[in-house]
Amino acid sequence: MEINNKIIKLLDDLREKTPLVHQITNNVTINDCANITLAIGGSPVMAEDIHEVREMVSLASSLVLNIGILTTGSIEAMIAAGKKANELNIPVILDPVGVGATSYRNESCKKIMSEVKLAVIRGNLSEIKSIYGIDTVTRGVDASESFVAGSNEFTKAKAMARNFADKFNTVVAITGEVDIITDGKTLYATSNGHKMMSRVTGTGCMCTAVIGCYLGAGDNNLIAALAGVVSMGIAGETAYERLDKKIEGSGTFRVKMIDAMYNLCDIEINKRSEINEE
Amino acid sequence: MEINNKIIKLLDDLREKTPLVHQITNNVTINDCANITLAIGGSPVMAEDIHEVREMVSLASSLVLNIGILTTGSIEAMIAAGKKANELNIPVILDPVGVGATSYRNESCKKIMSEVKLAVIRGNLSEIKSIYGIDTVTRGVDASESFVAGSNEFTKAKAMARNFADKFNTVVAITGEVDIITDGKTLYATSNGHKMMSRVTGTGCMCTAVIGCYLGAGDNNLIAALAGVVSMGIAGETAYERLDKKIEGSGTFRVKMIDAMYNLCDIEINKRSEINEE
Amino acid sequence: MEINNKIIKLLDDLREKTPLVHQITNNVTINDCANITLAIGGSPVMAEDIHEVREMVSLASSLVLNIGILTTGSIEAMIAAGKKANELNIPVILDPVGVGATSYRNESCKKIMSEVKLAVIRGNLSEIKSIYGIDTVTRGVDASESFVAGSNEFTKAKAMARNFADKFNTVVAITGEVDIITDGKTLYATSNGHKMMSRVTGTGCMCTAVIGCYLGAGDNNLIAALAGVVSMGIAGETAYERLDKKIEGSGTFRVKMIDAMYNLCDIEINKRSEINEE
């Protein structure tokens, strides 16, 4: 399948280039984000102080902004790094964790989006709806809304994603049971992954970090977002298959996800990817 | 046993309700606390900025405060969140990590306790003695004093715990080789767990997080504290049993503890719980 | 081998004494540093607020400073803790993570080194060259330069390490494929470890933490640095050997490294250590 070949090519480039991925992220999942970046073949750097983010991002191939734990300083640093990245044509991805839950997150997210040009934005349905201005319920930082393929909600989400991507001239990735990735024109619906991923903190953040790695390896933002979502989904379902369900649980599952990302290869992608272009 | 049934009922309710547990905690074990919360069936949210903690805690079923790594901002945020929780009758648990080691910790802990009404306070013997005003030696953040069942020290600790709970109108949980959980009237002494738990950072913090989950699932603070301590102890001893001692150590032990919490069920609780009511 | 016996003796002392190791470190690997400290037999405490670091370090047997994620507050706290440690003759180790990448890191590092007397400094080749004032390329926080035994670069690195140690009256440890540990007079070249360690975040930070544990257990800084580097290398190569390469990767490797540190013993050290004195 042609689209698989594009993903495989980008994965090869990633491992060849080992892009430096500058991440300003939250303290809950910062270690997981660094380790998944190394697992797939990237090189993470997590600087977040305003005094050095501009200089650090200048060395990087891509920039990941994640608002999982906000502080006044971190927003300022994200915007400074983001602007510098824009100047240098370094792609920026935003993960608007928990947006919709508090006004502080909403405002911070708006501020970032108004000052930084984003290559990709990845969130769950509640988060993306919230940014888009549709009334929704965000319950903490976990997905509180979702949809299944073929549902009315799915059709609506696809239309919203396209409009969002058009309006902000970016790539939108909505992840959940089914995932939507679009640049406003082409739209991919993918369904890799396993629901156990929601029982480990940071699978969303890790997905964003992996997209960050792909962004740093090539120059097609849409394919990078698709590759990241599919890679993370494959890692999750591979980990689930290898679990001894009688005695193993979310602890081992998390370790095996990172193992699967480390071992991700063309064979796995060709065997497992579930991608529909619409 | 009747008490086991109460714990099992609360665990069922927890998994049915998936309570949102707002945690303001330390950066050493924040990821472990989020993952153990997800493992037992809760939903963690870790917001700590003063600008959003009041709004975030309003969405939550319980609030966990952990002073493992203090900063000026975090104490202020803890008190703001705690007061809001009190207003809304959302139960608050405090983990006074390392209190007794520095005057800053002592004062911060006192400040929180004077401004926020606590449903439960969980610490090791040194920490609880230190708060209670008994001269003690806190060595860093790890347990430096303990007792065994039947000892004179154990008798004294039980009396102190009852008085403490009475004085502050709260539930006190002292964890160690033997654990004491009391609301001042009823007192449970439990002895689940394994000493290897002290070789993994954050088993105390994780215990507090698990109590936070139970607090968010029901309305009996004493049973919630008991259920949390027993669940964590069972997870620890189950993990130890499943360890290949020749080649595995504290790394695998930690992963298997989270696995055991994920798989915790009525059968395990009935088989393993060691609870004495006094 | 006599040098092995010195390491084994220090490891025994470490496990007998369980030294309290105060660490002011970065949020990416803080949990790993605490867990590796516990795995080898030390007791970690991670306080970083300026209000309590002086008091906390007074309780400790050694102090670890790691600039992996800098903030204005953290540098100030590092210097305050370092000065107090110097007053009390508590050994201090510095890990200059990513120095050379930004001017902020360079200045912060210089500031610490000018105000705090260091027992040991551990970094990769780029970092040590950068501090020493040799033009180099630091790419984020990962090693960007290295050398192999017998190469011209290796000879130059040994000379630089000796001069550096002399000039600052400290022990210098340069880690990489081959490691150099010297106090300016005696120099050890070691070659334990496995290149897969570079695919897990924090193996450098963990090495520094382990040296911190050894520093807190005895009074020979050179042997402590050597023991830390060799112990971490042995843990890495043991973990690699126990990996099921078909399905396991960097996730399991990380867990097994901590397991191996937990199980490190005289037999392993005698069997595996690769140390040349020059």
Side-chain angles (χ1 to χ4, degrees), chain B residues 11 24 27 49 53 98 131 143 163 184 208 213 216 233 244 254 265 273:
Chain B
L11 178 60
I24 306 180
N27 289 334
D49 191 282
V53 288
I131 296 173
N163 289 337
T208 301
C213 294
D244 177 350
R254 174 197 183 204
C265 62
S273 82

Side-chain angles (χ1 to χ4, degrees), chain A residues 67-68 70 75 79 94-115 121 126-140 168, chain B residues 51-52 55-56 59:
Chain A
I67 66 165
L70 282 178
I75 292 298
I79 291 172
L94 173 67
D95 190 331
V97 184
V99 76
T102 69
S103 9
Y104 186 52
R105 278 181 200 235
N106 298 351
E107 283 153 28
S108 301
C109 195
K110 251 183 225 164
K111 198 144 187 274
I112 295 171
M113 292 183 71
S114 69
E115 303 212 29
I121 179 159
S126 316
E127 290 159 353
I128 299 297
K129 279 173 82 170
S130 170
I131 297 172
Y132 194 63
I134 295 176
D135 267 348
T136 183
V137 185
T138 301
R139 181 174 170 274
F168 287 96
Chain B
H51 295 95
E52 66 169 352
E55 212 173 336
M56 195 61 96
L59 304 172

Side-chain angles (χ1 to χ4, degrees), chain B residues 46-82:
Chain B
M46 307 332 241
E48 63 191 37
D49 191 282
I50 187 74
H51 295 95
E52 66 169 352
V53 288
R54 287 181 199 85
E55 212 173 336
M56 195 61 96
V57 78
S58 308
L59 304 172
S61 297
S62 59
L63 174 66
V64 175
L65 306 179
N66 176 310
I67 65 165
I69 287 200
L70 282 177
T71 61
T72 318
S74 64
I75 292 298
E76 202 191 340
M78 284 184 198
I79 290 172

Side-chain angles (χ1 to χ4, degrees), chain A residues 22-27 30 46-51 53-54 63-83 94-95 104-105 108-109 111-112 116, chain B residues 48-49 51-52, chain C residues 27 69-71:
Chain A
H22 181 188
Q23 308 184 34
I24 306 181
T25 186
N26 68 77
N27 289 334
I30 191 168
M46 304 336 238
E48 62 191 38
D49 191 282
I50 187 74
H51 295 96
V53 289
R54 286 181 201 84
L63 174 66
V64 175
L65 306 178
N66 174 311
I67 66 165
I69 287 199
L70 282 178
T71 62
T72 316
S74 63
I75 292 298
E76 203 191 341
M78 285 183 197
I79 291 172
K83 282 180 163 179
L94 173 67
D95 190 331
Y104 186 52
R105 278 181 200 235
S108 301
C109 195
K111 198 144 187 274
I112 295 171
V116 180
Chain B
E48 63 191 37
D49 191 282
H51 295 95
E52 66 169 352
Chain C
N27 289 333
I69 287 201
L70 282 177
T71 62

Side-chain angles (χ1 to χ4, degrees), chain C residues 198-212:
Chain C
S198 67
R199 296 291 292 276
V200 173
T201 193
T203 49
C205 303
M206 286 188 258
C207 181
T208 300
V210 170
I211 298 174

Side-chain angles (χ1 to χ4, degrees), chain C residues 94 109-116 118 121 131 164 168:
Chain C
L94 174 66
C109 195
K110 251 185 224 164
K111 198 145 188 270
I112 294 171
M113 292 184 72
S114 69
E115 304 211 30
V116 180
L118 301 173
I121 180 160
I131 297 173
F164 190 129
F168 288 96

Side-chain angles (χ1 to χ4, degrees), chain B residues 27-28 32 69-72 101-105 139 142 196 198-201 247-252 254, chain C residues 18-20 27 30-31 35 38-39 43-49 51-52 55-56 59 242 255 258-259 262-263:
Chain B
N27 289 334
V28 187
D32 296 318
I69 287 200
L70 282 177
T71 61
T72 318
T102 68
S103 13
Y104 185 53
R105 277 180 201 235
R139 181 173 171 274
D142 290 318
M196 195 167 176
S198 66
R199 296 292 292 277
V200 173
T201 195
I247 58 165
E248 293 177 339
S250 50
T252 300
R254 174 197 183 204
Chain C
T18 62
L20 188 69
N27 289 333
I30 192 167
N31 182 273
N35 272 324
L38 287 163
S43 178
V45 65
M46 306 333 241
E48 63 190 37
D49 191 282
H51 295 95
E52 67 169 354
E55 213 173 335
M56 194 61 95
L59 304 171
R242 292 185 178 153
V255 172
I258 294 179
D259 284 351
Y262 182 89
N263 289 312

